[in-house]
Amino acid sequence: MNIIDLFLQAGLLVKCVMLLLLIFSVMSWAIIFQRTKILGKATKQIEQFDNSFWAADDLNVLFDKAKFNKEDISGTEHIFYSGFKEFSRLYQINPNMAESALDGASRSMRLAMNRELDILELRIPFLGTVGSISPYIGLFGTVWGIMNAFISLGSAKQATLQMVAPGIAEALIATAIGLFAAIPAVLAYNRLSLSVNRIEQSYLNFIDEFSAILQRQAVAVRK
């Protein structure tokens, strides 16, 4: 007997469990490929903007470029645009309140960072959920299948291993599929979460560095 035969001969509930786990597996792999691509693009964008930022002689030029493409910017460039825009607005209102302008820029950058992280983390928690519940769903299918196998065995006049073995094998397939869905989901969840944490740290480092630059510029203007 092969796996397909075992699936076809399983009970209705066990079949539903197997199908649910297969759906979880397919959805998990789709999320893994999608998030890996998006996080890789975000990491590349950080490197590209960092090079442009530190090579720029005038941040106003960089801001104007971001403003022109504000519908398409993301990541560090979005954080820069939000912070510089808020700082310029508040500083023009009251040049003597540079600290207030810096606080406003910092808050604006952190809000922009949170929005970027929400986009990057989208659907990743689903992988953690699949990794946590799939083995238990598979185990439920296994217990149910074995229970039915022994009930059938109890009604037989002559109990043999040959009679109960197919039913137990069908039930154990549910556990195997549960592990098949859970293991890649857990590994991907940990790896993708680590990537998001690294990107978040890059955003925080940029916010601190850019805030220091704005503070130096504000002090220089007052002098």
Side-chain angles (χ1 to χ4, degrees), residues 68-79:
F68 181 77
N69 300 310
K70 63 180 180 179
E71 299 298 330
D72 299 323
I73 60 175
S74 61
T76 315
E77 189 173 9
H78 181 208
I79 295 171

Side-chain angles (χ1 to χ4, degrees), residues 30 58 146 149 151 183:
D58 188 355
I146 291 176
I151 289 174
I183 293 173

Side-chain angles (χ1 to χ4, degrees), residues 15-221:
K15 284 181 181 178
C16 291
V17 168
M18 292 180 185
L19 288 174
L20 178 62
L21 292 172
L22 288 174
I23 291 171
F24 280 173
S25 180
V26 172
M27 293 176 64
S28 296
W29 280 108
I31 293 171
I32 290 169
F33 288 124
Q34 182 197 43
R35 290 295 104 185
T36 299
K37 182 179 179 180
I38 290 175
L39 292 177
K41 183 179 178 181
T43 302
K44 186 177 180 180
Q45 188 276 336
I46 291 173
E47 296 175 357
Q48 290 176 343
F49 184 77
D50 279 352
N51 294 333
S52 300
F53 179 81
W54 294 111
D57 296 326
D58 188 355
L59 293 181
N60 289 290
V61 176
L62 202 60
F63 174 75
D64 290 338
K65 180 181 177 182
K67 184 177 181 181
F68 181 77
N69 300 310
K70 63 180 180 179
E71 299 298 330
D72 299 323
I73 60 175
S74 61
T76 315
E77 189 173 9
H78 181 208
I79 295 171
F80 162 78
Y81 172 78
S82 300
F84 197 92
K85 179 182 178 181
E86 185 67 9
F87 178 81
S88 299
R89 186 182 69 83
L90 295 176
Y91 193 76
Q92 288 174 2
I93 294 174
N94 191 347
N96 296 321
M97 296 292 290
E99 291 298 326
S100 177
L102 286 170
D103 290 340
S106 179
R107 287 194 298 270
S108 181
M109 286 190 288
R110 289 185 180 275
L111 286 173
M113 179 189 72
N114 290 334
R115 286 193 290 269
E116 292 295 323
L117 291 175
D118 286 341
I119 294 173
L120 296 178
E121 292 174 342
L122 186 65
R123 299 188 183 92
I124 291 179
F126 178 78
L127 297 176
T129 302
V130 170
S132 299
I133 68 174
S134 291
Y136 296 104
I137 294 175
L139 183 61
F140 169 75
T142 296
V143 170
W144 187 269
I146 291 176
M147 182 180 66
N148 287 334
F150 278 107
I151 289 174
S152 299
L153 184 65
S155 61
K157 293 182 179 180
Q158 185 177 2
T160 64
L161 182 61
Q162 187 177 4
M163 294 177 58
V164 74
I168 294 177
E170 295 163 10
L172 290 175
I173 291 296
T175 296
I177 296 176
L179 295 175
F180 177 78
I183 293 173
V186 170
L187 293 175
Y189 175 79
N190 292 333
R191 185 177 65 83
L192 294 175
S193 297
L194 180 60
S195 297
V196 171
N197 290 337
R198 288 175 177 171
I199 291 173
E200 180 181 7
Q201 189 59 51
S202 297
Y203 289 163
L204 290 171
N205 291 340
F206 176 80
I207 291 174
D208 292 339
E209 292 167 348
F210 187 43
S211 297
I213 292 173
L214 293 176
Q215 186 174 21
R216 288 196 298 269
Q217 289 186 350
V219 171
V221 171

